[in-house]
Amino acid sequence: MGWLSVAVGMVSLLSLVHSVTGIGANWGTQATHPLKPETVVRLLKDNGIQKVKLFDADYDSLRALGKSGIEVMVGIPNDMLASLASSMKAAEKWVAKNVSTHITTNDVNIRYVAVGNEPFLATYNGSFLRTTFPALQNIQSALIKAGLSNQVKVTVPLNADVYESSTTLPSGGDFRANIHDLMLAIVKFLSDNGAPFTVNIYPFISLYIDPNFPVEYGFFDGNSSPVNDGGTSYYNMFDANHDTLVWALQKNGFGNLPIIVGEIGWPTDGDENANLNYARRFNQGFLSHISGGKGTPMRPGPVDAYLFSLIDEDAKSIDPGNFERHWGIFTFDGLPKYPLNLGTTNSGSLVPARNVQYLERKWCVMKPSARLDDPQVASSVSYACALADCTSLGYGTSCGGLDSRGNISYAFNSYYQKHNQLDGACKFPGLSMITKIDPSTGSCKFEIMMQPYYGGAGQRLGSLQMLLGLVSGLLFLLTVM
Ligand SMILES: *[C@@H]1O[C@H](CO)[C@@H](O)[C@H](O)[C@H]1NC(C)=O
Ligand SMILES: *[C@@H]1O[C@H](CO)[C@@H](O)[C@H](O)[C@H]1NC(C)=O
Ligand SMILES: *[C@@H]1O[C@H](CO)[C@@H](O)[C@H](O)[C@H]1NC(C)=O
């Protein structure tokens, strides 16, 4: 082998390593009509996404990931922490069923178990403070017992609110006072077991809760006036927030603990700051920011991160805000929302999901003859919105420009599509009708739902819920008629 071919060989080896450390994505499944798991895995592969983070251990999703080579972080939902904390047997069963089986019989490349999801979030009122660490310990013991502790590492995805800064500068970083000892115990445990710290960082939320947040500091264009921390300049919130964690770790003796950014992203709808332009700017800015492997001022080197998220989920709780159902870089049906270069494909553009099957091209809208002051309007709309999805209505959203009739039609159609275009789901008393003319205008898209898929257990549950929803819907329509 000549020098040239050695050099070429090394370059391709490097690019191979690079592709494995490339960007990951969060794959959540809280949707009324999720894409088939096989379709999602194909979508990941087509887009060169080599790492995926799940929020549970859904059997069909994991099976579909088998033999793909994609690195997987499986999740344990918070509501399972108590039982896993109190019973070693339960932890062993969880690992046997949700990790070992998939590795040995389905050839799934499971690399991490995420124990809980942001369990110390202030809004949970401390509900998971006592169970998270024991559950983490039990899962780790179960992995050791199963002989998997070298290839599968435990971690706890935490919200960035587990640390704070006394000075507002990164160098003032330390763990939140009321959970300081607990955080230290967890950090020591992760360090002892060669496991990473996982943190979710959201400049969008900072902007959402604080109208005075300097918008430019949320992005990566370097347009904001830098924050000076003892001679180090911070030009964006991500670096500053990330380094507040690095300082917190360092101060407590764990300055070298690996960090995974478990979630990072920007939503596209449901709020005036959630739009395609900002989402593209943030995500592309972040990808470019980390692409050189330059890292942050306190942690030079590659950043290991998972975009939040891959696909929109129309059944997520909107307690955090109406934007919560719109974090995907792809729409619910796997279409790219905006140009984004993940740096993982030759084309540099997102590849849509393949072979998506839609329902017929028809919509449920308000009858032209129906009157806006009809006394049934308000209750019909609130009923439809409660069971379907009206998060694209409202100030600054994609359908925020609709008039009252448009609003009502949007709500009716959302309900109709979620119920698979069943005739009974477009029977709002004297108010609704089915049309084949697309009511979409400008940025406001009246969706056509995908054909439901009845593959796995989760889907069967979903369709049962939907059936129940429809029965209660019919009851509602009967009572108001
Ligand atoms: C495996 O994970 C699934 C999905 O999160 C969960 O419902 C199930 O209870 C787990 N199995 C065991 C044995 O804990
Ligand atoms: C937390 O406490 C508040 C106020 O007491 C309550 O409204 C909320 O439902 C609680 N949340 C949880 C997750 O328990
Ligand atoms: C349309 O609905 C949204 C959300 O419910 C509301 O904020 C807005 O005022 C409505 N617009 C009209 C013209 O009725």
Side-chain angles (χ1 to χ4, degrees):
M1 226 190 329
W3 280 112
L4 185 62
S5 57
V6 172
V8 169
M10 278 176 63
V11 167
S12 57
L13 189 66
L14 283 176
S15 57
L16 192 73
V17 171
H18 180 76
S19 72
V20 174
T21 58
I23 193 75
N26 282 272
W27 172 10
T29 52
Q30 294 184 57
T32 63
H33 290 65
L35 284 164
K36 281 185 199 155
E38 293 73 21
T39 306
V40 176
V41 172
R42 185 69 193 262
L43 180 71
L44 290 166
K45 289 169 93 171
D46 285 349
N47 286 284
I49 298 171
Q50 305 266 15
K51 300 184 296 194
V52 72
K53 178 168 164 286
L54 311 177
F55 293 91
D56 54 17
D58 176 58
Y59 185 86
D60 290 340
S61 306
L62 282 164
R63 200 193 39 196
L65 284 161
K67 302 187 181 69
S68 67
I70 295 171
E71 286 187 8
V72 181
M73 183 184 289
V74 279
I76 297 177
N78 291 337
D79 62 15
M80 290 191 74
L81 294 175
S83 66
L84 296 171
S86 63
S87 158
M88 189 58 217
K89 263 257 141 352
E92 282 171 19
K93 277 192 184 155
W94 191 92
V95 167
K97 173 112 198 308
N98 288 325
V99 180
S100 308
T101 310
H102 287 291
I103 291 177
T104 52
T105 62
N106 294 334
D107 199 7
V108 183
N109 187 12
I110 298 177
R111 303 302 285 271
Y112 300 100
V113 175
V115 181
N117 185 36
E118 302 190 339
F120 305 150
L121 208 60
T123 52
Y124 293 142
N125 301 340
S127 307
F128 307 111
L129 283 181
R130 278 194 312 254
T131 49
T132 303
F133 187 34
L136 180 72
Q137 290 170 303
N138 284 348
I139 291 292
Q140 173 66 18
S141 302
L143 287 170
I144 292 172
K145 209 162 162 188
L148 293 171
S149 59
N150 282 332
Q151 74 189 89
V152 183
K153 297 297 178 186
V154 287
T155 190
V156 183
L158 293 162
N159 189 274
D161 75 351
V162 298
Y163 48 87
E164 57 197 6
S165 170
S166 52
T167 59
T168 75
L169 296 173
S171 58
D174 204 346
F175 295 110
R176 206 166 82 206
N178 70 328
I179 54 169
H180 194 272
D181 293 350
L182 175 60
M183 285 305 302
L184 274 203
I186 289 176
V187 163
K188 179 170 189 314
F189 186 79
L190 295 174
S191 174
D192 289 347
N193 290 288
F197 190 104
T198 300
V199 64
N200 301 337
I201 297 177
Y202 280 115
F204 169 79
I205 303 289
S206 302
L207 182 57
Y208 179 72
I209 58 182
D210 177 9
N212 295 318
F213 181 84
V215 179
E216 288 299 321
Y217 197 53
F219 296 96
F220 297 90
D221 309 283
N223 293 337
S224 77
S225 39
V227 170
N228 181 353
D229 187 8
T232 302
S233 294
Y234 283 93
Y235 294 90
N236 64 77
M237 183 195 144
F238 169 77
D239 280 358
N241 191 305
H242 179 277
D243 282 2
T244 308
L245 169 62
V246 177
W247 276 101
L249 290 170
Q250 188 166 301
K251 225 168 263 176
N252 291 290
F254 298 95
N256 292 321
L257 192 67
I259 295 172
I260 290 179
V261 178
E263 296 182 12
I264 187 154
W266 198 282
T268 54
D269 208 351
D271 182 70
E272 58 178 320
N273 289 313
N275 54 56
L276 298 173
N277 185 35
Y278 272 6
R280 186 199 54 75
R281 221 179 126 196
F282 181 83
N283 283 331
Q284 194 65 70
F286 176 72
L287 289 162
S288 309
H289 184 60
I290 66 168
S291 70
K294 149 169 93 44
T296 64
M298 285 293 287
R299 226 0 131 72
V303 173
D304 192 2
Y306 295 74
L307 288 180
F308 191 86
S309 67
L310 190 65
I311 318 163
D312 280 351
E313 298 168 75
D314 66 352
K316 286 195 84 177
S317 159
I318 51 171
D319 287 348
N322 280 347
F323 54 81
E324 193 61 18
R325 294 176 178 168
H326 303 279
W327 288 98
I329 57 173
F330 292 97
T331 52
F332 72 101
D333 50 350
L335 299 179
K337 290 185 186 171
Y338 47 85
L340 189 66
N341 184 353
L342 297 175
T344 50
T345 57
N346 290 333
S347 70
S349 44
L350 295 177
V351 180
R354 302 187 193 210
N355 303 322
V356 176
Q357 307 286 318
Y358 293 90
L359 298 173
E360 266 181 75
R361 283 183 60 80
K362 55 181 185 177
W363 297 261
C364 179
V365 293
M366 188 179 192
K367 267 188 195 164
S369 60
R371 292 171 54 103
L372 281 174
D373 60 3
D374 187 304
Q376 305 281 15
V377 165
S379 57
S380 299
V381 167
S382 54
Y383 176 79
C385 287
L387 288 172
D389 182 17
C390 295
T391 55
S392 297
L393 298 177
Y395 181 72
T397 61
S398 65
C399 296
L402 292 178
D403 61 12
S404 302
R405 281 185 177 273
N407 260 1
I408 296 160
S409 290
Y410 187 94
F412 288 176
N413 183 60
S414 178
Y415 184 83
Y416 177 61
Q417 302 292 337
K418 302 276 182 243
H419 292 89
N420 300 319
Q421 302 184 346
L422 285 170
D423 284 341
C426 189
K427 292 237 160 76
F428 295 93
L431 298 173
S432 57
M433 62 172 229
I434 291 164
T435 177
K436 301 220 159 170
I437 301 165
D438 188 350
S440 303
T441 52
S443 66
C444 180
K445 192 152 191 302
F446 280 62
E447 279 164 2
I448 295 279
M449 201 30 85
M450 294 182 288
Q451 283 180 17
Y453 116 88
Y454 299 103
Q459 274 3 88
R460 281 194 292 276
L461 186 68
S463 54
L464 180 67
Q465 279 165 348
M466 204 141 72
L467 197 66
L468 291 174
L470 190 68
V471 170
S472 61
L474 292 173
L475 286 175
F476 161 82
L477 293 174
L478 285 174
T479 52
V480 297
M481 260 188 291

